[in-house]
Amino acid sequence: MASVEECRAALATLTERLDAHADEVAGKVDLDRPIACRITDLDTAFHGRLTGGRLVGMTDGDDPNAKITISTTSDDLIALVNGELDFGRALASRRISLRASPFDLLKLRKLL
């Protein structure tokens, strides 16, 4: 089981990667939504905002009003960010739970 610090670092890495490619997807992904990432095995969460292809303001704590919610274990979060776990397969096998409106899901596909 990964630690809260390792999850925080993984989300920081993900933020950097999205920032690096934000200009490419900004025109394709018109999405501005609060997002929460819940780490089920650590009983912790992080929240921020997904806007213009960027993940901004990620901080500790849950956002019960988040329009997009991702739930996973700490190890699966680390594996996803490190490219060791395919997002689509993880979603299909229920290692990741993604809650969003159907409209938002269609837009999120472009980020994957």
Side-chain angles (χ1 to χ4, degrees), residues 9-83:
L11 288 171
T13 299
L14 179 60
T15 298
E16 291 170 7
R17 285 188 191 148
L18 288 174
D19 281 348
H21 296 96
D23 292 336
E24 297 170 28
V25 297
K28 299 176 189 173
V29 181
D30 180 27
L31 192 63
D32 185 7
R33 301 283 187 273
I35 187 168
C37 179
R38 297 177 180 146
I39 312 301
T40 57
D41 59 334
L42 297 177
D43 197 28
T44 194
F46 302 91
H47 71 279
R49 191 158 200 89
L50 185 60
T51 182
R54 288 184 162 87
L55 193 55
V56 296
M58 285 303 284
T59 188
D60 292 8
D62 199 357
D63 180 357
N65 297 317
K67 300 295 182 191
I68 300 170
T69 304
I70 298 170
S71 299
T72 190
T73 65
S74 58
D75 288 338
D76 285 345
L77 174 66
I78 303 296
L80 278 168
V81 173
N82 290 338

Side-chain angles (χ1 to χ4, degrees), residues 82-95:
N82 290 338
E84 300 162 359
L85 179 62
D86 178 73
F87 188 85
R89 287 187 178 145
L91 192 59
S93 66
R94 299 182 188 234
R95 290 174 69 177

